[in-house]
C-alpha cells in the first residue's frame, strides 16, 4: 500500500491551492485595513469628529455625517426592532411550523434579505415619498410640499425594511433558546400564553434582541443605496431638526467627496478619515454582536 | 368512603394515529396521595398531564371520554384552561425555576393573577415557602437568584411556586427523580404533609417511594390502567399477575 508519488504530489498541490486562496482573502483584508488606517489616522481628531465641513469639503470635519448616521440608525431601529420582534414572536410562538401562513412569511423574510439594496431605495421613493408622503401633504397640508420629498423619516423607514430580516432571524433564534420547561412552568401556574411570552420568554431573549438590533444598526450604518433617493443629502448646512429634514451620512459623504467634489485630491485626507470612522463603527458594532451571539449559543448548548 | 376529586371514565388519548391511553377509568380521592407507577412509556405521565390539560400544548393530541374534576368535565368547550391550571397545579420532573429572584419565582403566580399589594404578596410568598419546607433555608436571601439554589432546593421552590397559586390539586411528575437521597427524603416528607390541604397525584419510577408516601397506587402498563387499589394491597397482595411481576422487579 505505498502511496504513489504522483498521487502524493497531487494532494500537496490541491492543499496548497486551497490554502493560498484562503491567504489571499486575509491579505486583502490586511491591505485594506492597513491602507485606511495609515491614510486616516492623522486625520482623526476631536475637531474632525465634531465640526462641519468647510471650503467645499476640503477642510473641516464630518460631524453632520456622523450625526446623520446616528439619527438614521436610531429611527430605523425604533421602527425595525419592535416590528421584527413582533414578527419573530408570531413565527416562534403562535404560527404552526408547517402552516402555509408561516411558510409564506418565512419565504417573504428570506426574499427581503436578498433583494438588492438599490431596489429598496426605489421602493422607498415610490412608496414612502410619492405615495404616503404626497398623500399626507394632500390630506393635511392642502397639497403644500412637506412630506412628499426625501427626508430622514422616509430614509430611516426604507432602511428599516432592509434590516428587518436581520432582526427577525436574530430574535427568532433567541426566542427558541428559552427552554420549553420554563414556558410549561408558567402555563401550569395559570399564566396565559401572552403572559408567558411577556414575563418569561421575552426577558430571556433580551440579549438576542440586542444582537439583532446591533447587527441591523451595523448594516444600516454602512448601506447607502436605500437612502440615495429617500433622504440623504450631498451637503446640508444645518443638522436635521425635524423628521422632514434631509441629512448627511458617512457612507454617502465618502462617495460625494470622491466623485462629486470640485477638488478630489484635496479631499483625500478627509476621505480616508471618514472611511476609517465608518469602518471602525461597523467593526465595533459587528464584534459586539458576535460576542453576544456567541454567549447566546453557549447558553443554548448548556 | 372518601370523596372523589378526580374521576375519569373510558378516557382514551391519541398522539395522531397512535393510541397512548386506553379506556382509563379511575377515581382519585380528595386529600390523599395517589401514585401512578409503571415502566417508561406506559402512559402514566401522559395521563397526569391530561389532568391539567398540559397535553393541549402538544400538536395532534386527541382525547375522548370523560375527565371530571369536582364533577365538571375539564375538556368541555366552555372550560377556561387558565382557571383550570390555577386549580390543578403541576410540579415537573426537572426543577424549572425562572431566571428571577427566589421571591419573584413564588410571587409569579399571584402577580399574573393581578395581585400587586406588596404586603399581601409577602405573606403569600412566606406561607408558600413555609408549606414547601424551604423557608428557613431561603428567608435571608429572597432577593437572590433562584438559579443559585441546589437542585433539591430548586425543586422545593418550584413546589412553593405552585402552592402560591392556591391550587386544590397538585400533580407531580417524578418530582424527585433528579435529586440526591437526602433531597428526595425531604420532598417525600413534604408530600405527606401537603395532603392535609391538597389532593396529590404523583408519577414515580421509584416503587419504594410510591409505597412510602402514597395512599393509593395505580399501575399502568402499555397505555392501560392494569390495577388500582390501596397502596398496601398493591404492594403486598395485588390481584393481577402483571402488577405482581412489576413490583417484584420481574420486568419494567
Amino acid at each position: 500500500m505505498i502511496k504513489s508519488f504522483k498521487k502524493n504530489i497531487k494532494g500537496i498541490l490541491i492543499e496548497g491551492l486551497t490554502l493560498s486562496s484562503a491567504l489571499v482573502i486575509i491579505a486583502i483584508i490586511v491591505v485594506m485595513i492597513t491602507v485606511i488606517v495609515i491614510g486616516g489616522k492623522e486625520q482623526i481628531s476631536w475637531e474632525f469628529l465634531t465640526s462641519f465641513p468647510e471650503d467645499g469639503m476640503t477642510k473641516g470635519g464630518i460631524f453632520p455625517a456622523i450625526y446623520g448616521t446616528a439619527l438614521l440608525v436610531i429611527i430605523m431601529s425604533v421602527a425595525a426592532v419592535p416590528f421584527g420582534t413582533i414578527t419573530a414572536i408570531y413565527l416562534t410562538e403562535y404560527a404552526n411550523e408547517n402552516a402555509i401562513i408561516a411558510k409564506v412569511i418565512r419565504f417573504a423574510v428570506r426574499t427581503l434579505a436578498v433583494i438588492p439594496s438599490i431596489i429598496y431605495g426605489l421602493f422607498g421613493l415610490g412608496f414612502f415619498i410619492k405615495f404616503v408622503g404626497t398623500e399626507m401633504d394632500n390630506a393635511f397640508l392642502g397639497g403644500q410640499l412637506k412630506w412628499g420629498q426625501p427626508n430622514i423619516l422616509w430614509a430611516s423607514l426604507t432602511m428599516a425594511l432592509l434590516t428587518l430580516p436581520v432582526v427577525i432571524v436574530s430574535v427568532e433564534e433567541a426566542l427558541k433558546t428559552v427552554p420549553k420547561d420554563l414556558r410549561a412552568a408558567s402555563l401550569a401556574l395559570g399564566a396565559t400564553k401572552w403572559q408567558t411570552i411577556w414575563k418569561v420568554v421575552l426577558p430571556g431573549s433580551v440579549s438576542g434582541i440586542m444582537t439583532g438590533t446591533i447587527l441591523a444598526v451595523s448594516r444600516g450604518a454602512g448601506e447607502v443605496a436605500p437612502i440615495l433617493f429617500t433622504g440623504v443629502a450631498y451637503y446640508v448646512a444645518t443638522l436635521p431638526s425635524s423628521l422632514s429634514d434631509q441629512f448627511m451620512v458617512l457612507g454617502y459623504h465618502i462617495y460625494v467627496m470622491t466623485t462629486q467634489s470640485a477638488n478630489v485630491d484635496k479631499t483625500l485626507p478627509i476621505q480616508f478619515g471618514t472611511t476609517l470612522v465608518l469602518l471602525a463603527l461597523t467593526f465595533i458594532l459587528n464584534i459586539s454582536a458576535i460576542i453576544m451571539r456567541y454567549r447566546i449559543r453557549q447558553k443554548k448548548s448548556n | 368512603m372518601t370523596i372523589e376529586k378526580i374521576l375519569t371514565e373510558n378516557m382514551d388519548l391519541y398522539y395522531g394515529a397512535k393510541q397512548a391511553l386506553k379506556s382509563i377509568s379511575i377515581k382519585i380521592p380528595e386529600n390523599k396521595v395517589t401514585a401512578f407507577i409503571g415502566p417508561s412509556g406506559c402512559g402514566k405521565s401522559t395521563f397526569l398531564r391530561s389532568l391539567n390539560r398540559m397535553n393541549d400544548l402538544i400538536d395532534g393530541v386527541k382525547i375522548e371520554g370523560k375527565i371530571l374534576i369536582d364533577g365538571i368535565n375539564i375538556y368541555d368547550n366552555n372550560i377556561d384552561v387558565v382557571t383550570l391550571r390555577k386549580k390543578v397545579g403541576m410540579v415537573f420532573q426537572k426543577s424549572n425555576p425562572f431566571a428571577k429572584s427566589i421571591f419573584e419565582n413564588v410571587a409569579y403566580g399571584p402577580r399574573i393573577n393581578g395581585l400587586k399589594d406588596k404586603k399581601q404578596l409577602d405573606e403569600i410568598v412566606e406561607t408558600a415557602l413555609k408549606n414547601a419546607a424551604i423557608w428557613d433555608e431561603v428567608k435571608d436571601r429572597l432577593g437572590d437568584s433562584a438559579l443559585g439554589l441546589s437542585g433539591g432546593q430548586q425543586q422545593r421552590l418550584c413546589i412553593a411556586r405552585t402552592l402560591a397559586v392556591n391550587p386544590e390539586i397538585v400533580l407531580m411528575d417524578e418530582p424527585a427523580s433528579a435529586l440526591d437521597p437526602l433531597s428526595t427524603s425531604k420532598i417525600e416528607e413534604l408530600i405527606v404533609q401537603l395532603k392535609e390541604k391538597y389532593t396529590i397525584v404523583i408519577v414515580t419510577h421509584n416503587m419504594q417511594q410510591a409505597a412510602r408516601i402514597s395512599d393509593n397506587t395505580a399501575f399502568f402498563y402499555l397505555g392501560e390502567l392494569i390495577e388500582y387499589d390501596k397502596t398496601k394491597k398493591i404492594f403486598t397482595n395485588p390481584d393481577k399477575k402483571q402488577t405482581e411481576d412489576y413490583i417484584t422487579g420481574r420486568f419494567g
Side-chain angles (χ1 to χ4, degrees):
Chain A
M1 291 304 233
I2 299 164
K3 236 192 231 168
S4 79
F5 180 67
K6 218 172 146 188
K7 266 192 181 163
N8 211 3
I9 285 288
K10 204 175 157 192
I12 290 172
L13 278 177
I14 291 175
E15 189 180 342
L17 187 71
T18 52
L19 176 67
S20 48
S21 54
L23 288 177
V24 167
I25 292 172
I26 296 175
I28 290 172
I29 293 173
V30 169
V31 169
M32 205 190 272
I33 293 176
T34 314
V35 169
I36 292 168
V37 169
I38 290 175
K41 72 176 194 311
E42 296 296 314
Q43 193 64 40
I44 304 295
S45 68
W46 182 244
E47 212 205 324
F48 178 68
L49 296 175
T50 56
S51 60
F52 273 67
E54 287 163 27
D55 290 348
M57 298 180 195
T58 55
K59 283 188 191 144
I62 54 168
F63 181 66
I66 294 176
Y67 184 84
T69 306
L71 204 57
L72 171 80
V73 297
I74 289 170
I75 300 172
M76 174 203 82
S77 306
V78 168
V81 172
F83 194 53
T85 303
I86 291 168
T87 310
I89 288 174
Y90 176 74
L91 284 173
T92 44
E93 306 293 326
Y94 288 96
N96 184 330
E97 193 75 12
N98 300 314
I100 291 182
I101 178 81
K103 283 184 178 164
V104 171
I105 295 171
R106 275 176 219 281
F107 178 74
V109 171
R110 273 199 300 273
T111 310
L112 274 183
V114 297
I115 290 175
S117 50
I118 191 76
I119 311 273
Y120 280 97
L122 290 170
F123 174 79
L125 175 66
F127 180 72
F128 290 123
I129 298 175
K130 294 292 173 200
F131 177 65
V132 181
T134 307
E135 290 303 316
M136 280 167 68
D137 287 344
N138 288 341
F140 304 116
L141 300 168
Q144 192 194 333
L145 189 64
K146 185 180 185 194
W147 297 103
Q149 56 187 349
N151 65 36
I152 192 160
L153 176 66
W154 302 140
S156 303
L157 292 183
T158 308
M159 198 64 101
L161 284 180
L162 176 95
T163 53
L164 206 51
V166 178
V167 177
I168 294 173
V169 170
S170 304
V171 177
E172 253 199 285
E173 190 182 345
L175 294 176
K176 282 180 186 159
T177 60
V178 176
K180 281 211 168 70
D181 287 0
L182 290 187
R183 295 164 207 255
S186 172
L187 293 170
L189 289 167
T192 61
K193 188 161 183 168
W194 173 246
Q195 285 173 325
T196 303
I197 292 170
W198 186 246
K199 299 214 163 192
V200 175
V201 179
L202 278 180
S205 315
V206 168
S207 53
I209 296 167
M210 289 294 293
T211 312
T213 311
I214 294 170
L215 284 173
V217 165
S218 116
R219 179 98 197 269
E223 280 282 353
V224 173
I227 55 176
L228 269 183
F229 315 118
T230 52
V232 75
Y234 174 92
Y235 176 76
V236 270
T238 53
L239 297 175
S241 59
S242 138
L243 287 175
S244 60
D245 285 347
Q246 291 199 305
F247 62 108
M248 292 172 73
V249 143
L250 288 168
Y252 188 62
H253 194 56
I254 296 168
Y255 171 78
V256 164
M257 283 188 293
T258 47
T259 61
Q260 313 291 304
S261 167
N263 197 336
V264 172
D265 287 342
K266 272 192 171 174
T267 65
L268 203 57
I270 299 183
Q271 285 177 36
F272 270 113
T274 313
T275 311
L276 182 58
V277 170
L278 179 57
L279 196 68
L281 182 73
T282 43
F283 259 42
I284 292 167
L285 288 169
N286 270 302
I287 286 170
S288 41
I290 289 167
I291 292 170
M292 290 184 91
R293 188 161 269 201
Y294 174 76
R295 289 206 182 137
I296 295 171
R297 295 216 167 119
Q298 267 196 326
K299 193 177 102 190
K300 192 180 183 180
S301 59
N302 283 342
Chain B
M1 191 63 200
T2 46
I3 321 150
E4 73 230 10
K5 188 78 179 166
I6 305 169
L7 180 148
T8 76
E9 259 172 33
N10 301 324
M11 182 259 193
D12 295 314
L13 185 143
Y14 302 85
Y15 286 120
K18 189 177 162 278
Q19 187 167 10
L21 291 172
K22 293 168 196 160
S23 195
I24 308 290
S25 297
I26 194 169
K27 289 176 185 174
I28 295 172
E30 194 166 19
N31 294 104
K32 299 276 185 222
V33 177
T34 303
F36 295 169
I37 60 168
S40 297
C42 67
K44 57 191 189 301
S45 283
T46 302
F47 183 60
L48 189 81
R49 282 163 177 267
S50 302
L51 301 178
N52 66 344
R53 294 188 54 173
M54 287 303 278
N55 284 331
D56 288 12
L57 306 179
I58 303 164
D59 285 333
V61 169
K62 200 179 77 188
I63 287 173
E64 284 166 6
K66 270 197 234 168
I67 302 182
L68 306 182
I69 290 180
D70 290 332
I72 296 164
N73 190 350
I74 60 166
Y75 281 85
D76 269 354
N77 286 332
N78 59 0
I79 291 293
D80 177 24
V81 181
V82 167
T83 320
L84 169 72
R85 290 186 187 139
K86 281 169 191 159
K87 182 170 167 168
V88 188
M90 184 159 216
V91 176
F92 296 81
Q93 178 173 9
K94 220 176 105 200
S95 59
N96 51 3
F98 302 125
K100 301 176 191 286
S101 70
I102 293 169
F103 182 91
E104 285 304 324
N105 263 278
V106 183
Y108 183 87
R111 273 195 206 281
I112 57 170
N113 283 329
L115 185 64
K116 290 198 180 79
D117 185 69
K118 178 84 177 95
K119 218 178 136 198
Q120 269 180 294
L121 277 174
D122 283 346
E123 270 172 38
I124 291 175
V125 169
E126 182 174 339
T127 312
L129 288 168
K130 278 179 177 161
N131 286 341
I134 189 178
W135 173 251
D136 289 336
E137 291 158 66
V138 299
K139 65 180 177 206
D140 299 323
R141 47 176 176 142
L142 293 176
D144 291 4
S145 169
L147 303 180
L149 297 172
S150 73
Q153 288 173 326
Q154 284 190 8
Q155 192 62 301
R156 276 178 287 144
L157 178 69
C158 290
I159 293 174
R161 185 175 65 182
T162 303
L163 300 183
V165 186
N166 205 15
E168 293 170 26
I169 300 169
V170 180
L171 309 175
M172 298 187 169
D173 192 357
E174 299 186 44
S177 67
L179 302 180
D180 61 90
L182 191 67
S183 303
T184 301
S185 72
K186 277 190 182 163
I187 300 267
E188 288 183 5
E189 279 172 36
L190 174 59
I191 291 169
V192 175
Q193 289 166 21
L194 287 178
K195 75 173 176 181
E196 283 176 28
K197 289 182 196 156
Y198 309 92
T199 304
I200 311 276
V201 186
I202 179 173
V203 161
T204 178
H205 258 114
N206 179 333
M207 278 180 285
Q208 288 78 27
Q209 186 172 69
R212 279 194 297 266
I213 64 175
S214 71
D215 302 291
N216 299 305
T217 296
F219 171 60
F220 286 79
Y221 185 58
L222 298 177
E224 287 180 69
L225 175 59
I226 304 294
E227 189 168 353
Y228 174 53
D229 214 320
K230 295 264 179 270
T231 298
K232 207 174 165 193
K233 172 132 181 6
I234 293 277
F235 282 95
T236 52
N237 183 24
D239 288 336
K240 301 269 171 61
K241 181 155 188 316
Q242 277 166 310
T243 315
E244 192 181 348
D245 286 350
Y246 182 72
I247 58 157
T248 52
R250 248 167 268 167
F251 80 94

